[in-house]
């Protein structure tokens, strides 16, 4: 390769690297904007008059989303790396190992995050952040069960709430909206089985609820 060709080739490479760097920077800006908007939507449902506290808490929420994303992206890469395995037992064992490793990372991050929020917010506000991060599925689902089955006892309502609170804690750490809803779906299945064992015919209850809603 002569000098001119080498210089031309170097120029092309530098242009390509510059373009990649610009794209990466733009993606980072877009991602930061998305997280900022997400955190703002959560906080705007609360009454936080202190501007410094508002922005501090928003920063905590944004940082948590970033940390969660990093963990789940790493998990995706590890899962993708085992796709070439042909032995289903090996794949299952490796996938389970990856999931357990992810859980070990998420647990301390979850606890530290809640401690940071608790230092700035009331318990009610902390719960509002949790609801915001999980699309208010807990309250929507609670209301749905109580509307569908008005005869639920205090004990049954308490058990339903307990499971949905547990689901919310897990869903907070999920990597996507689909995963968050999947977690709640698993717990709804548990609740449905519990209610069926308590003697409720859920199909009839749902039909009666639909009929009441049309009046």
């Amino acid at each position: 390769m002569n000098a001119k060709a080498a210089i031309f080739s170097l120029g092309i490479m530098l242009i390509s690297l510059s373009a990649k760097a610009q794209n990466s920077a733009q993606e980072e800006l877009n991602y930061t904007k998305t997280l900022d908007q997400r955190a703002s939507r959560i906080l705007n449902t609360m009454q936080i008059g202190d501007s410094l506290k508002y922005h501090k808490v928003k920063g905590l929420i944004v940082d948590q989303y970033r940390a969660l994303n990093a963990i789940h992206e790493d998990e995706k890469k590890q899962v993708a790396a085992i796709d070439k395995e042909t032995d289903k037992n090996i794949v299952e064992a490796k996938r389970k190992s990856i999931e357990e490793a992810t859980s070990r990372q998420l647990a301390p991050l979850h606890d530290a995050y809640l401690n940071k929020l608790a230092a700035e917010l009331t318990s009610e506000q902390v719960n509002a952040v949790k609801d915001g991060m999980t699309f208010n599925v807990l309250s929507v689902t609670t209301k749905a069960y109580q509307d569908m089955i008005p005869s639920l006892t205090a004990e049954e309502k308490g058990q339903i709430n307990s499971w949905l609170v547990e689901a919310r804690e897990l869903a907070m750490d999920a990597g996507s909206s689909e995963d968050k809803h999947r977690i709640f779906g698993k717990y709804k299945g548990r609740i449905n089985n519990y209610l069926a064992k308590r003697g409720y015919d859920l199909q009839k209850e749902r039909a009666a609820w639909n009929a009441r809603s049309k009046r």
Side-chain angles (χ1 to χ4, degrees):
M1 181 182 294
N2 59 38
K4 287 184 178 181
I7 292 173
F8 178 78
S9 177
L10 178 60
I12 293 297
M13 182 178 68
L14 291 175
I15 291 172
S16 177
L17 290 174
S18 176
K20 288 181 180 179
Q22 289 178 1
N23 288 337
S24 179
Q26 186 59 51
E27 288 175 0
E28 175 59 25
L29 285 173
N30 291 340
Y31 181 55
T32 298
K33 182 178 180 181
T34 296
L35 294 185
D36 187 85
Q37 291 174 340
R38 194 178 297 172
S40 294
R41 282 197 297 269
I42 292 172
L43 290 177
N44 289 343
T45 63
M46 294 179 261
Q47 300 297 322
I48 301 180
D50 187 331
S51 177
L52 290 177
K53 177 175 289 190
Y54 177 93
H55 288 287
K56 183 174 183 179
V57 174
K58 184 164 73 168
L60 292 176
I61 297 173
V62 168
D63 288 346
Q64 182 71 0
Y65 274 124
R66 281 188 179 280
L68 290 172
N69 182 67
I71 291 173
H72 287 295
E73 285 301 312
D74 183 58
E75 180 184 28
K76 288 179 184 178
K77 290 178 182 177
Q78 293 184 62
V79 170
I82 65 174
D83 282 347
K84 294 181 181 180
E85 291 283 356
T86 56
D87 189 315
K88 291 183 178 180
N89 291 328
I90 292 177
V91 171
E92 184 177 345
K94 287 186 175 181
R95 188 181 292 274
K96 183 178 179 180
S97 177
I98 293 169
E99 290 175 353
E100 290 174 348
T102 298
S103 295
R104 287 194 295 271
Q105 288 180 282
L106 291 173
L109 179 67
H110 182 94
D111 292 340
Y113 174 57
L114 292 185
N115 287 335
K116 291 174 185 176
L117 289 178
E120 303 295 334
L121 304 172
T122 66
S123 58
E124 290 79 9
Q125 289 172 327
V126 171
N127 282 332
V129 172
K130 293 180 180 182
D131 288 331
M133 293 182 72
T134 55
F135 314 114
N136 292 306
V137 174
L138 187 155
S139 58
V140 170
T141 305
T142 296
K143 185 177 186 303
Y145 275 112
Q146 293 183 4
D147 287 347
M148 182 174 70
I149 311 176
S151 59
L152 285 173
T153 66
E155 178 188 352
E156 290 161 349
K157 290 178 182 179
Q159 181 60 77
I160 290 171
N161 181 72
S162 176
W163 277 329
L164 290 176
V165 167
E166 185 177 330
R168 183 179 63 180
E169 294 299 308
L170 294 173
M172 281 176 63
D173 298 336
S176 67
S177 59
E178 291 80 7
D179 288 339
K180 292 176 189 290
H181 285 292
R182 190 176 297 114
I183 290 169
F184 276 105
K186 176 182 176 181
Y187 277 82
K188 288 176 188 177
R190 183 182 297 183
I191 291 169
N192 290 343
N193 289 336
Y194 165 76
L195 292 174
K197 289 179 181 179
R198 301 280 291 189
Y200 293 100
D201 186 326
L202 295 183
Q203 287 188 340
K204 288 184 177 179
E205 296 288 353
R206 188 170 289 108
W209 180 33
N210 289 335
R212 290 195 299 271
S213 299
K214 292 177 182 178
R215 291 175 186 172

